[in-house]
Amino acid sequence: MIFGSKERYVVHTLGDEVLRKKAAPIPAVTPEIRALADRMIRTMRVFDGIGLAAPQIGESLQLVVIEIPPDAMEGNPTPGEALLYPKMPLTLINPRILERSAELAARDEGCLSLPDIFAPVIRPARVVLDTDLITGEHVTLECGGLLGRCIQHELDHLDGVVFSDRVDGKSLPVILPELRRLEKYGARHHYLRVITR
Ligand code: ZN
């Protein structure tokens, strides 16, 4: 970055149509896609996130970035955690989930597109991720722990799904006032969060 220059980082929030669209596959990793991935990584870092899907910055493409600190890796890591943690930040191109474990786990989730809203979500404890990485590698790996959780959350964004859609009837009333407040805030701010740095 040139000294003294400023960059504007934008995350689209709930209420914006782009978060409800099905994202398009990426036919080839062009310089534009690499630039988009770089911008997503910088945006994720500026907003202190651990994952970001392209629709969250207004691009309806099957592109996801993930950066989880290494100390978040839990004991007994799955093969996916063991292989992918050292490669952070990850850029996933056209990722999909091939299998979901029958075992479920509950964990609090948040989302840069739903600022200040946190609620428990029940999801499969482990999934088999099949994806291209921007490095050119193709991986098919079982992922659990926080990484498996993050993959499921981010891939939901590519299908137009946000975590509040998956909050159960017990927890939903707790976050409903916040969701309504977000709707009002979002309408006033064109469903955008903006940081200039
Ligand atoms: Zn999210």
Side-chain angles (χ1 to χ4, degrees):
M1 190 186 288
I2 300 161
F3 180 74
S5 73
K6 287 207 166 182
E7 205 170 343
R8 191 171 177 266
Y9 300 93
V10 178
V11 169
H12 295 241
T13 58
L14 192 65
D16 192 321
E17 295 253 300
V18 72
L19 294 178
R20 292 307 190 179
K21 291 209 306 204
K22 273 206 170 266
I26 294 171
V29 179
T30 59
E32 289 76 20
I33 292 295
R34 288 184 189 281
L36 179 61
D38 284 347
R39 184 152 63 89
M40 286 170 62
I41 290 170
R42 291 199 302 277
T43 305
M44 169 176 67
R45 287 173 174 167
V46 164
F47 282 93
D48 284 326
I50 59 168
L52 192 71
Q56 294 182 274
I57 64 161
E59 300 286 346
S60 194
L61 291 169
Q62 293 179 16
L63 183 62
V64 163
V65 297
I66 293 174
E67 185 169 45
I68 305 175
D71 60 7
M73 186 153 78
E74 291 152 36
N76 263 331
T78 51
E81 291 165 86
L83 191 103
L84 294 175
Y85 265 93
K87 294 182 193 284
M88 302 279 175
L90 305 172
T91 299
L92 316 182
I93 314 274
N94 303 326
R96 56 203 78 255
I97 288 170
L98 296 185
E99 284 175 50
R100 294 168 168 82
S101 67
E103 186 194 333
L104 303 174
R107 191 169 197 148
D108 272 357
E109 293 191 23
C111 179
L112 297 182
S113 294
L114 282 74
D116 303 323
I117 296 175
F118 301 91
V121 181
I122 298 164
R123 296 187 188 268
R126 294 172 305 282
V127 292
V128 175
L129 169 71
D130 182 80
T131 189
D132 286 330
L133 300 176
I134 204 160
T135 51
E137 293 162 90
H138 182 92
V139 295
T140 304
L141 289 164
E142 185 184 45
C143 299
L146 183 56
L147 177 60
R149 165 76 45 170
C150 186
I151 287 166
Q152 294 178 70
H153 175 119
E154 299 310 331
L155 268 62
D156 266 354
H157 279 300
L158 305 183
D159 288 328
V161 174
V162 294
F163 85 87
S164 57
D165 301 342
R166 298 198 184 275
V167 171
D168 67 20
K170 220 168 41 182
S171 304
L172 191 61
V174 181
I175 60 166
L176 261 183
E178 286 292 323
L179 285 172
R180 293 217 180 91
R181 211 171 53 169
L182 173 63
E183 182 63 29
K184 267 192 217 158
Y185 167 92
R188 245 185 286 136
H189 295 84
H190 309 287
Y191 303 109
L192 298 176
R193 296 170 77 185
V194 180
I195 293 180
T196 307
R197 254 185 208 169

